[in-house]
Each structure stands twice: as C-alpha cells, then as structure tokens.
Amino acid sequence: MIFTVAIDGPAAAGKGTISRAIAARFGLRHLDTGLLYRAVGRKVLEGAEPVAAARALVPEDLNVPGLRGSEAAAAASQVATIADVRAALVDFQRDFARFDGGAVLDGRDICTVICPDAAVKLYVTASPEVRAERRFLELSQAGADVTRDGVLQDVLARDARDMGRAEAPLVAAADAVVIDTSDMAIDEAVERAADVVAAARKD
Ligand code: CDP
C-alpha cells in the first residue's frame, strides 16, 4: 500500500520530531531528506564538486558523524540552490515515498515538488526566534560551541536562502495543513499532525 506523508518547513520548526513520531505511530518508514543535502554539503566541504557528489551519493553517506551540525547545514543550503544537485536526488526520494507500507518524508520541497500527490501534506513552522532557541538548545546539549545569537543568524540566513532560491523554494503548498508550533509543546504538535494522518488513513 502506498501512503505518503509529506512534511515541509523551515529549520528547527519541529519537522524531524513530528516525522519520527508519525512514522513510529503509524508504522511508516521515515526519510529526513535534509540529510541528503547535508551529505552532499559535507562532501563539498571536503573538496568534491557538488553535482558529482549528489550523483554519487550512497545510503552510507547519511551515517557520517557531524552531519547534523551547523557547518553541514550551511553547506547543505548552498548546494541545495543548484538545480542539477536537486535533480540528482529526486529519484531516490520518490522511490522512498512509494515504499510498500507507507512513508514519511520531511524537507523543504516534499509537498511542492517531490510528492505533490501525497495523501497527507503538512507545513510545520514557527517564529525564527522560537526555532533558533530550540536549535541552540539542541546543538549546545550535543556539545557544540554555539551562541544564541549565532544560531539565530544561521537560521535567518538559511531561511532567506531556502525561501528565496529560484529552484524549489521553501513555500507552503496551497493544499498543505499548516501547523505553527511557536506556542505549542512538541507533544501537542505531534497530536495535531497525527489527527491529520489518522483522518487520511480512513479515506
Ligand atoms: O534540520 P534542519 O531543518 O535545520 O535542516 P535540514 O532539513 O537538515 O536541511 C538542511 C538544508 O538542506 C536546508 O536548509 C535546505 O537548504 C536543504 N534542503 C532542501 O533544499 N530540500 C530538502 N528537501 C531538504 C533540505
């Protein structure tokens, strides 16, 4: 059975937590598509050419340590502006979305470009300040040497690049359900998303 849950939104809005919880609750496979761009970004930091790196990507590249850090995130949002990099990653994502048993994919262009026919489309967002605070806590708890203001500047720069790029810019799909998590505990956001998924499962 093909059942795709597509989740888009800006950095640190809660997409990852919601996606993992939805996947576990409904028994779906999960792909964090940001990791694909982070893995390409990491290879470019090591000297690779971006398009060649995207074409040569293998699943093991997604398990490299440090991929969740801010250096890989900044490199990811730079390679993500390149049309041929995005094109090289499309088939892998669409194959994953068609996994028999159902799949959750989260990213920036899942509802708009990768899976426009998904059974469920969500846009998860929050104010930049709330997102920066969450990312600051996440990174500092993981031992990274970061400041609140530095993380906020990174989030704002990445938002501007992701929303302003010509190729697959970050935007809420017209038919996506918007979940603004600015004033929500994460459990509440998960329940909101789960209600939408449960309703679509009944159709
Ligand atoms: O975890 P966080 O939301 O901070 O970022 P991510 O989802 O890991 O994505 C890192 C970067 O990859 C984003 O800032 C985007 O530039 C890019 N990306 C994209 O262009 N398209 C996607 N489907 C996923 C990520």
Side-chain angles (χ1 to χ4, degrees):
M1 180 224 33
I2 294 176
F3 180 82
T4 308
V5 178
I7 306 183
D8 289 326
K15 295 185 307 287
T17 307
I18 291 174
S19 302
R20 283 189 296 275
I22 293 294
R25 189 175 306 188
F26 294 92
L28 311 170
R29 283 221 302 179
H30 172 225
L31 177 65
D32 170 358
T33 65
L35 281 183
L36 303 174
Y37 293 90
R38 285 170 181 262
V40 175
R42 159 75 46 219
K43 286 185 179 242
V44 170
L45 290 174
E46 287 163 0
E49 192 280 317
V51 178
R55 289 185 180 146
L57 208 67
V58 290
E60 296 76 68
D61 294 330
L62 308 184
N63 296 324
V64 172
L67 228 47
R68 304 230 174 239
S70 31
E71 204 190 19
S77 88
Q78 278 166 17
V79 299
T81 63
I82 304 170
D84 288 347
V85 164
R86 306 198 70 85
L89 303 175
V90 167
D91 287 349
F92 180 82
Q93 295 174 87
R94 288 200 179 137
D95 286 348
F96 192 97
R98 284 193 290 266
F99 174 71
D100 189 17
V104 182
L105 286 83
D106 75 280
R108 301 290 188 288
D109 63 341
I110 309 303
C111 303
T112 51
V113 175
I114 303 295
C115 304
D117 299 325
V120 175
K121 295 185 203 173
L122 301 176
Y123 187 82
V124 179
T125 189
S127 72
E129 292 72 22
V130 167
R131 291 187 285 118
E133 180 64 18
R134 289 182 189 154
R135 187 50 53 94
F136 169 75
L137 293 174
E138 197 176 293
L139 291 172
S140 48
Q141 274 159 17
D145 183 17
V146 285
T147 63
R148 279 194 161 76
D149 191 53
V151 174
L152 176 61
Q153 296 315 319
D154 284 353
V155 163
L156 291 172
R158 209 136 62 83
D159 280 1
R161 203 151 44 216
D162 291 350
M163 294 172 185
R165 69 187 176 212
E167 206 59 42
L170 171 63
V171 60
D175 54 353
V177 175
V178 177
I179 302 179
D180 187 328
T181 68
S182 301
D183 299 314
M184 267 184 210
I186 190 64
D187 292 355
E188 199 184 330
V190 167
E191 290 316 313
R192 193 74 67 88
D195 287 347
V196 181
V197 176
R201 291 286 256 189
K202 285 203 196 102
D203 290 347

